[in-house]
């Protein structure tokens, strides 16, 4: 797969995940209230590269929090 195609696939996957999370948050906030609408786009990501980013995201956040303290 060429690099341009790969980048387009990643962008499309994340865009779909964002739209899916947004729609589910609308439904949940309507049915259960705004405090229950906490869907993240990372829940719906399917691309392997984005899944790796998702895995490293928690590590990066915890390291940043340690540095701030």
């Amino acid at each position: 797969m060429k690099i341009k195609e790969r980048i387009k696939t990643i962008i499309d996957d994340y865009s779909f995940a964002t739209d899916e999370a947004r729609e589910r948050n609308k439904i949940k906030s309507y049915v259960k209230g705004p405090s229950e609408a906490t869907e993240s786009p990372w829940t719906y990501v399917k691309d392997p590269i984005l899944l790796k980013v998702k895995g490293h995201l928690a590590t990066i956040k915890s390291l940043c929090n340690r540095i701030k303290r």
Side-chain angles (χ1 to χ4, degrees):
M1 187 179 291
K2 294 183 180 179
I3 293 174
K4 280 186 174 180
E5 292 172 5
R6 187 72 178 146
I7 292 171
K8 185 180 180 320
T9 304
I10 291 170
I11 291 170
D12 290 344
D13 185 39
Y14 190 75
S15 296
F16 170 77
T18 303
D19 293 341
E20 185 71 21
R22 186 178 302 122
E23 288 301 316
R24 289 180 185 250
N25 281 337
K26 283 182 190 176
I27 294 168
K28 280 188 176 181
S29 66
Y30 179 74
V31 174
K32 294 183 178 182
S35 62
E36 296 293 323
T38 57
E39 291 291 330
S40 168
W42 293 106
T43 308
Y44 304 102
V45 167
K46 295 177 183 143
D47 191 83
I49 291 176
L50 289 176
L51 289 173
K52 286 182 184 178
V53 169
K54 176 184 174 184
H56 294 302
L57 194 60
T59 305
I60 293 169
K61 283 184 179 179
S62 67
L63 289 174
C64 289
N65 288 337
R66 286 184 192 170
I67 292 171
K68 287 181 183 177
R69 290 183 191 175

